Amino acid sequence: MDILNLLSPILENIGYPALIFLVWYVYHNSQVKAINKIIKNNFEILKQMLVTNQDNTGILSRIENKIDNNLWCPILKREIVRRLG
């Protein structure tokens, strides 16, 4: 009841539309802050994913190079050395 007694003079002077606008404004600002936080978190995750993808690309490139040069299998490597040497 204390809240109603407090709001009563405000409503008489300002009116219900102003009160509704005030509630909407506070709600809207809280939603904007929440969405901005979500966007910042998404960008941080995307940065981490980009670094991970670059690392994986480098690793796959080295694996492909070793496969092309037959350095991935010790048995084949030994055979190549034996034939060349």
Side-chain angles (χ1 to χ4, degrees):
M1 285 306 234
D2 291 333
I3 294 174
L4 293 177
N5 291 334
L6 180 66
L7 288 178
S8 171
I10 295 173
L11 291 177
E12 290 174 5
N13 293 330
I14 298 175
Y16 286 104
L19 180 66
I20 291 171
F21 175 76
L22 180 65
V23 170
W24 173 83
Y25 184 76
V26 170
Y27 174 76
H28 177 71
N29 280 343
S30 68
Q31 291 298 315
V32 167
K33 288 179 184 177
I35 290 172
N36 284 337
K37 185 176 179 182
I38 289 170
I39 290 171
K40 286 180 184 178
N41 288 339
N42 284 344
F43 278 119
E44 289 299 320
I45 291 170
L46 287 174
K47 284 180 188 177
Q48 293 171 358
M49 288 176 65
L50 181 62
V51 170
T52 303
N53 284 342
Q54 290 172 344
D55 292 343
N56 286 341
T57 302
I59 292 169
L60 289 175
S61 176
R62 288 193 301 269
I63 290 172
E64 181 183 12
N65 188 23
K66 288 181 179 182
I67 289 172
D68 289 342
N69 295 326
N70 286 328
L71 298 177
W72 57 278
C73 178
I75 297 171
L76 287 176
K77 184 177 179 181
R78 190 173 5 166
E79 289 295 321
I80 291 171
V81 170
R82 190 179 302 161
R83 288 181 189 168
L84 293 176

